[in-house]
Amino acid sequence: MTVEIRVPVLGESVTEATVGQWFKKVGDTVTKDEPLVELETDKVTLEVNAAESGRLDEILAAEGEDVEVGALLGHLTAGAAGATSAAKTEAPKEKAEDKPAAAPAPAAKAEPAQTPAPAAKATSVEVMPAAQKLIDENNLDAGKIRGTGKDGRITKGDVLEALENGGASPAPAAPAATPAPAPAPSGPRPEEAREERVKMTRLRKSIAARLKDAQNTAAMLTTYNEVDMSAMLDLRAEYKDLFLKKHGVKLGFMSFFTKACIAALKETPAVNAEIDGDDLVYKNYYNMGIAVGTDSGLVVPVLRDADRLSFAEVEKGIAELGKKARDGKLSMADLQGGTFTITNGGVYGSLMSSPILNPPQAGVLGMHKIQERPMVIKGEIKIRPMMYLALTYDHRIIDGKEAVTFLVRVKDALEDPQRLLLDL
């Protein structure tokens, strides 16, 4: 029975996707619910799984092609055995030669044919097409290359890095070492090595469009403050082991910042509002967007009704969303409905920055690196772990007084975290 592979419903207002990568080739055996192809939308990357076990017979949408919801991607034959067909696809040229060949002849042909290709497949991790081409050209062993792509896949950059280090394969080690230490000023650099042109992914184009739209639409302004993190660090150090033992999750900073922002949002409701036409919409719920950096770009999954969650539930929810984001498993529902966003540039070492709004939200809080600095406390200079906070807000909705009040309330709650527990 022939089964159609079609583009599924992608989510509200999303009608088109780009074919990212086929995980199977024509003729490969597939099992039910096994990923067949990866689709990139404006917001998430999702996988289309096999509806039945069988054999992939036809691919109609190539990688990089734009497809609409419901479009036909390919066909598979349910229940078909894939062993013979897989052999046909791996060595199509040998099919004609197998007929006159005697028993020992296929063995002689199979050995050299399998030398480059199975070496890459023996690692149990997938190799991206561009990376496989470089591996074949340089006779590398994929098992010695560390994959940094999604699910440990080996990317073109991984292969290039291995070539530079000269440790991926004994054969290319000598030629790879010669250009790296001594870039000759006399000869011109090869033209193809000067730059690389890569098509933007649909997600990256969507991120670019949304950020530019935020700049063009909102009247963005940023106000700053700094927080003494001493009390929070002491509280976390005292209870982190007990917290982990009881709740099974680490006590991080994000639960404190989330709770502090919610308390401040309740006092300054304009920061939790949005503009809809000529109306201001004030939200009486608190869906916190937590920005997560991934290999594909920045995404903002949403922790819903965070005001009703305990510290442990906040930590678990953020950890789960972060893992789904890095694994490319976020759904459209995970990214919708946020009322306020928190982004942490400190994990990358940022000391201070001005975050950009996530429309249609009116505010975003930027966290930064904790750095010890000399501070004057009651006439004495003392070393304190300090963090800069930045609130970017839409001045069309939020006045300066409200923005500063919000940021001061966040600062007060973080410097005296017991206030969060007592709802003060």
Side-chain angles (χ1 to χ4, degrees):
M1 180 181 69
T2 300
V3 179
E4 294 181 338
I5 307 168
R6 292 189 176 273
V7 179
V9 176
L10 301 172
E12 183 181 354
S13 75
V14 181
T15 60
E16 196 177 52
T18 300
V19 179
Q21 178 188 3
W22 279 94
F23 302 122
K24 295 290 183 179
K25 300 175 183 177
V26 172
D28 282 356
T29 300
V30 299
T31 57
K32 187 176 181 180
D33 295 329
E34 184 178 11
L36 294 176
V37 60
E38 186 178 69
L39 299 179
E40 298 175 356
T41 72
D42 292 349
K43 297 180 180 179
V44 296
T45 298
L46 55 90
E47 295 174 345
V48 178
N49 298 332
E52 300 287 345
S53 297
R55 181 185 65 233
L56 181 61
D57 283 342
E58 188 178 17
I59 293 177
L60 298 176
E63 295 181 359
E65 183 177 337
D66 293 336
V67 289
E68 295 183 351
V69 173
L72 188 61
L73 298 172
H75 294 98
L76 66 85
T77 299
T84 55
S85 60
K88 294 177 185 177
T89 54
E90 286 182 9
K93 293 183 180 179
E94 294 178 13
K95 180 180 178 182
E97 299 174 0
D98 284 344
K99 294 181 180 179
K109 292 181 180 179
E111 188 174 353
Q114 289 179 350
T115 303
K121 295 182 180 178
T123 62
S124 78
V125 297
E126 294 191 42
V127 182
M128 302 298 286
Q132 184 64 60
K133 182 180 179 183
L134 278 177
I135 290 173
D136 294 340
E137 290 175 351
N138 294 276
N139 193 28
L140 302 181
D141 182 2
K144 297 181 180 179
I145 301 176
R146 183 177 63 89
T148 61
K150 178 184 173 184
D151 297 330
R153 294 171 189 156
I154 297 175
T155 65
K156 181 179 179 181
D158 298 330
V159 181
L160 291 174
E161 182 180 0
L163 285 171
E164 290 179 2
N165 295 334
S169 177
T178 43
S186 56
R189 187 190 301 267
E191 201 61 35
E192 62 273 12
R194 296 181 68 87
E195 61 183 34
E196 181 180 4
R197 186 178 296 270
V198 179
K199 184 179 179 181
M200 289 177 67
T201 64
R202 183 174 290 272
L203 176 61
R204 174 56 61 186
K205 287 190 287 187
S206 175
I207 292 173
R210 286 176 61 83
L211 292 178
K212 188 59 182 172
D213 181 63
Q215 287 185 320
N216 294 338
T217 304
M220 288 195 296
L221 187 62
T222 305
T223 184
Y224 302 92
N225 213 318
E226 58 182 353
V227 179
D228 185 344
M229 299 288 287
S230 300
M232 188 189 303
L233 290 173
D234 292 343
L235 182 65
R236 181 171 175 266
E238 183 176 355
Y239 293 107
K240 65 178 182 179
D241 293 336
L242 184 61
F243 189 90
L244 177 61
K245 182 178 179 180
K246 180 176 181 179
H247 300 292
V249 65
K250 292 182 179 180
L251 178 61
F253 294 130
M254 291 306 299
S255 54
F256 289 97
F257 276 86
T258 300
K259 289 293 187 180
C261 286
I262 291 171
L265 289 171
K266 290 181 178 180
E267 187 169 340
T268 53
V271 186
N272 203 47
E274 69 176 62
I275 292 178
D276 184 14
D278 294 331
D279 298 329
L280 287 176
V281 182
Y282 291 91
K283 311 292 181 63
N284 297 320
Y285 55 92
Y286 305 91
N287 292 345
M288 307 300 288
I290 309 298
V292 179
T294 70
D295 293 338
S296 302
L298 186 71
V299 292
V300 188
V302 176
L303 188 66
R304 300 184 181 281
D305 293 318
D307 58 313
R308 300 181 180 181
L309 304 178
S310 66
F311 274 75
E313 290 170 331
V314 170
E315 291 289 355
K316 290 178 181 178
I318 292 175
E320 180 181 348
L321 290 172
K323 185 178 186 305
K324 289 173 69 176
R326 288 185 289 272
D327 293 343
K329 303 296 185 183
L330 287 174
S331 66
M332 296 297 295
D334 291 326
L335 300 172
Q336 296 173 340
T339 62
F340 184 83
T341 292
I342 302 174
T343 179
N344 185 6
V347 295
Y348 305 110
S350 172
L351 187 62
M352 180 181 286
S353 63
S354 300
I356 297 179
L357 289 175
N358 183 22
Q361 298 172 22
V364 53
L365 180 75
M367 300 166 54
H368 297 92
K369 177 183 178 182
I370 299 175
Q371 188 175 61
E372 289 188 340
R373 297 200 299 271
M375 305 296 294
V376 178
I377 301 173
K378 296 181 179 180
E380 297 181 0
I381 298 177
K382 296 185 178 181
I383 303 299
R384 288 286 189 265
M386 304 298 295
M387 176 191 288
Y388 287 117
L389 295 182
L391 174 70
T392 297
Y393 60 97
D394 191 342
H395 214 342
R396 298 176 302 166
I397 306 175
I398 305 166
D399 294 330
K401 176 184 176 182
E402 293 169 310
V404 173
T405 299
F406 173 90
L407 206 51
V408 169
R409 293 296 176 268
V410 171
K411 170 185 169 69
D412 291 343
L414 295 175
E415 291 185 340
D416 187 8
Q418 287 83 355
R419 296 167 61 98
L420 297 174
L421 303 176
L422 299 175
D423 194 22
L424 297 176

